[in-house]
Amino acid sequence: MAKVPVQFTLNGAEKAEFIDSGTTLLHALRDKIGDTSPKGGCHQGTCGACSVIIDGELRLSCLTLAETCNGATITTTSGLSEGGVLHPLQRAFLDAFATQCGFCTPGMIMAAKVLLDHTPNPSREDVVEALSGNICRCTGYEPIIQAVLTAARSNSQHAA
């Protein structure tokens, strides 16, 4: 298989790799770059565990070819904390016990981040809709929804 050059910004750092043509972003991130925060759940685009943010939009890294990300800005959950301090969404998930096995957590947090970036004060229905592409088999979703709403309230209090 032919190798293709790919360059992008990952969590604020420039990355350049030669990858096999047809490699998914999920495999490039995990196997070539070492960012294991996106999880490979279904590898079919139905569970959301592999969700990342590409140029401000939520994308499924298991369905996105890495070579299409040339020049893009990519954010994973690994890039949300700063200086060892958790992002408000990460903190809210911990505080609300919104993680049990934790497998879906990175995708849920990325979906919630895109929601809060676009809708800083979402309704419960907004949160449910934003998370609808993500599957969790442990929590029953209520702690996750509450964590997102708590993070939104926390962000609006800090902005005031």
Side-chain angles (χ1 to χ4, degrees):
M1 197 168 268
K3 298 273 186 188
V4 294
V6 178
Q7 291 181 296
F8 50 78
T9 302
L10 175 64
N11 300 325
E14 295 295 322
K15 299 292 179 182
E17 291 287 338
F18 283 96
I19 59 165
D20 291 328
S21 181
T23 298
T24 64
L25 180 60
L26 176 65
H27 286 295
L29 291 173
R30 292 180 63 83
D31 301 338
K32 292 288 279 181
I33 296 172
D35 185 341
T36 58
S37 62
K39 305 299 180 205
C42 67
H43 297 279
Q44 299 174 1
T46 58
C47 75
C50 68
S51 297
V52 298
I53 300 172
I54 302 174
D55 293 332
E57 298 298 323
L58 191 67
R59 299 273 298 276
L60 299 168
S61 64
C62 75
L63 296 181
T64 302
L65 294 179
E67 59 203 83
T68 66
C69 297
N70 211 25
T73 298
I74 302 169
T75 305
T76 68
T77 51
S78 295
L80 294 183
S81 63
E82 291 184 31
V85 176
L86 293 177
H87 184 278
L89 273 166
Q90 293 169 312
R91 171 55 51 204
F93 268 65
L94 284 175
D95 292 346
F97 301 101
T99 61
Q100 285 186 17
C101 82
F103 199 81
C104 72
T105 304
M108 291 284 188
I109 288 176
M110 298 315 287
K113 179 163 184 348
V114 170
L115 169 67
L116 297 182
D117 286 349
H118 292 99
T119 309
N121 294 304
S123 66
R124 185 179 193 290
E125 293 74 29
D126 292 333
V127 174
V128 169
E129 176 65 26
L131 300 178
S132 67
N134 297 71
I135 295 174
C136 175
R137 297 185 178 169
C138 299
T139 67
Y141 297 96
E142 197 56 38
I144 295 169
I145 293 165
Q146 290 307 312
V148 176
L149 291 170
T150 298
R153 284 191 300 274
S154 173
N155 284 344
S156 65
Q157 290 170 355
H158 291 301

